[in-house]
Amino acid sequence: MRFFLPLIALTAASPLAAEAFERPVPQAQTATAEFWFALGSIGLIAALVLVQRLVARS
């Protein structure tokens, strides 16, 4: 019993039981995703401009 668990662990972790790695296929960028990215970018730029104006007043 002392050698049974390590034997099972080594057998289960053998390279023969492992699956081959399949490289993920990148998905195309959708128009909706591009719209939300553009909206987020514009919002970030607007927030940075507002912060810059707030800091410049001090």
Side-chain angles (χ1 to χ4, degrees):
M1 192 68 179
R2 184 179 189 176
F3 298 107
F4 183 66
L5 288 176
L7 181 65
I8 294 296
L10 288 174
T11 308
S14 70
L16 298 176
E19 290 185 22
F21 175 75
E22 292 183 23
R23 184 177 291 243
V25 178
Q27 300 295 321
Q29 189 79 3
T30 63
T32 305
E34 288 182 9
F35 168 75
W36 285 112
F37 182 79
L39 190 65
S41 298
I42 291 169
L44 179 62
I45 292 169
L48 287 172
V49 168
L50 289 174
V51 167
Q52 189 274 331
R53 291 183 69 195
L54 181 66
V55 170
R57 283 188 193 173
S58 298

